[in-house]
Amino acid sequence: MGSVWQRNPRYSVFIFVVLACTLYLLGPYQASAPPFSSMRGLPRGNDLPSRLARSERIYNKLLVDRKGLIKKFGPKPKDIALFPPGVKPWPAYTVWDFFPAAYNCPHEVQRLGALGDGGKWICGLSRVEKKPDCVVYSVGINYESSFEAEILSNTQGCQVWGYDSTVSSFGPQVGAEHASRTHFQPYGLAATDKSDDTPKMYSLESLMKMNGHTHIDILKMDIERLEFETLAAIIKPYLASGRPLPFGQLQLEVHVWNMTFEEYLTWWEMLEAAGLRPFWTEPNLVYQNYNRDGSTDLAEYSFLNTKGSNVFIKDPIDHSKQPRDS
């Protein structure tokens, strides 16, 4: 018995023509098909500038949403409570709902240090893994140095400068094997120098001058509400001059004790104007648990500095590929 093709030659020709037309019509589509990321609704291009631009567009959408939320519960910032009492208004909110970490880190995100209190979230540790002049400042130690220890263990060249006026050294997690890359002073960080006080307090600018630094890759701060006046003192001169901030990213614990929403919004918008974008946040639930009063006025934030040319937002120049002078 012959095959179906032999018994129906016209049918075979018809199938061949259909397949040929299909392949012909699909050819241009295959040649110009977008990458997989575009097929998921993302723009073409996955290089670092494209990822940063995409993250900024996402964050700008948040700014519009924030204005709408303020109008809904305000309508002015002065009308909004950080933590509304009772069950009204409904649906309920807290101050943290206005300031989500909506910026997408363009690199890997990982937690360094202990789970719970002490650990911090970092954007793109791989960017400084082999950086020979990597500089880390950690302000607020309290004998818990798992964060600093993991930075040292996961990088080759990072040097860590630690400051805390309430203790005399890093915590026990930083061992003798790290001694050559750690530096500690019992100083506090403040808006202005108070070197005659006990304990001694210095501005970030002064600490950097002491150490001969012009840039910090990672700055961690936990200074028990002094962050508001201290960061204002750091940021305002850079805003006035148009210069980028002298650090690549910031890990910060925020304490909204005795503040109004309007005050907090003004301070936060100053951070945004300087190019700081939050890519991670979590409430300090350890603090909430110990107080047992429902307090949620402490939160951890991680920010990326999106201005300037720090290592997290600019690819290093490969000098081996640069044209040489003839």
Side-chain angles (χ1 to χ4, degrees):
M1 181 181 293
S3 69
V4 66
W5 309 103
Q6 292 171 330
R7 290 185 288 112
N8 299 280
R10 285 179 295 181
Y11 178 77
S12 302
V13 172
F14 173 75
I15 294 297
F16 176 78
V17 170
V18 169
L19 289 174
C21 291
T22 301
L23 291 174
Y24 175 79
L25 293 172
L26 287 176
Y29 174 79
Q30 292 174 330
S32 60
F36 179 68
S37 62
S38 295
M39 295 173 69
R40 292 181 294 169
L42 299 177
R44 304 186 76 180
N46 200 36
D47 57 0
L48 182 55
S50 296
R51 297 198 302 273
L52 289 166
R54 187 158 58 240
S55 294
E56 189 68 14
R57 287 194 294 271
I58 291 170
Y59 196 77
N60 286 336
K61 167 64 164 51
L62 165 74
L63 301 182
V64 175
D65 293 343
R66 181 195 298 158
K67 291 179 179 179
L69 199 61
I70 290 173
K71 184 177 180 180
K72 175 182 178 180
F73 289 118
K76 301 293 184 182
K78 64 181 179 61
D79 302 318
I80 296 176
L82 293 175
F83 303 98
V87 296
K88 293 183 178 180
W90 195 261
Y93 71 87
T94 74
V95 60
W96 309 121
D97 294 313
F98 293 82
F99 307 97
Y103 193 84
N104 289 352
C105 164
H107 313 291
E108 79 285 355
V109 176
Q110 66 186 103
R111 184 181 180 86
L112 297 182
L115 295 177
D117 198 30
K120 307 293 179 184
W121 292 92
I122 296 291
C123 170
L125 184 67
S126 59
R127 304 288 287 188
V128 295
E129 182 181 3
K130 297 180 180 180
K131 188 172 185 281
D133 57 348
C134 167
V135 173
V136 179
Y137 276 33
S138 181
V139 186
I141 304 295
N142 195 26
Y143 286 122
E144 212 299 320
S145 295
S146 58
F147 168 73
E148 295 81 5
E150 286 209 21
I151 283 185
L152 292 163
S153 298
N154 287 281
T155 62
Q156 298 177 7
C158 284
Q159 301 268 340
V160 179
W161 276 259
Y163 298 98
D164 193 321
S165 61
T166 67
V167 297
S168 58
S169 68
F170 285 104
Q173 297 85 0
V174 173
E177 69 274 18
H178 302 131
S180 64
R181 292 198 285 140
T182 57
H183 319 269
F184 179 87
Q185 290 290 345
Y187 302 154
L189 180 66
T192 58
D193 293 349
K194 301 174 183 178
S195 57
D196 295 329
D197 289 2
T198 303
K200 295 181 178 181
M201 308 288 285
Y202 292 98
S203 68
L204 183 66
E205 181 182 15
S206 293
L207 293 177
M208 292 177 70
K209 284 182 179 179
M210 289 181 195
N211 301 321
H213 295 148
T214 58
H215 184 77
I216 300 168
D217 292 294
I218 298 172
L219 171 61
K220 186 210 87 174
M221 289 175 55
D222 183 358
I223 53 177
E224 305 303 315
R225 204 184 181 283
L226 286 176
E227 64 269 13
F228 295 102
E229 60 182 89
T230 300
L231 279 170
I234 293 169
I235 290 174
K236 286 182 178 179
Y238 286 90
L239 281 177
S241 64
R243 295 174 295 151
L245 293 171
F247 49 85
Q249 60 181 283
L250 170 67
Q251 281 65 42
L252 177 70
E253 183 163 57
V254 180
H255 312 73
V256 290
W257 300 324
N258 304 315
M259 292 192 77
T260 67
F261 178 88
E262 189 172 24
E263 290 170 336
Y264 187 75
L265 175 65
T266 299
W267 177 81
W268 184 274
E269 289 179 336
M270 176 191 66
L271 271 60
E272 291 174 329
L276 294 178
R277 298 289 182 267
F279 64 86
W280 200 276
T281 185
E282 59 185 26
N284 188 327
L285 298 179
V286 172
Y287 170 83
Q288 182 178 354
N289 182 58
Y290 273 103
N291 281 275
R292 298 286 184 177
D293 61 358
S295 297
T296 55
D297 44 7
L298 271 64
E300 301 275 0
Y301 276 93
S302 294
F303 299 85
L304 184 68
N305 179 9
T306 61
K307 292 187 177 181
S309 57
N310 68 73
V311 70
F312 302 106
I313 63 169
K314 295 289 184 181
D315 287 322
I317 297 174
D318 187 348
H319 293 285
S320 66
K321 298 181 180 180
Q322 298 298 305
R324 296 182 179 179
D325 295 335
S326 58

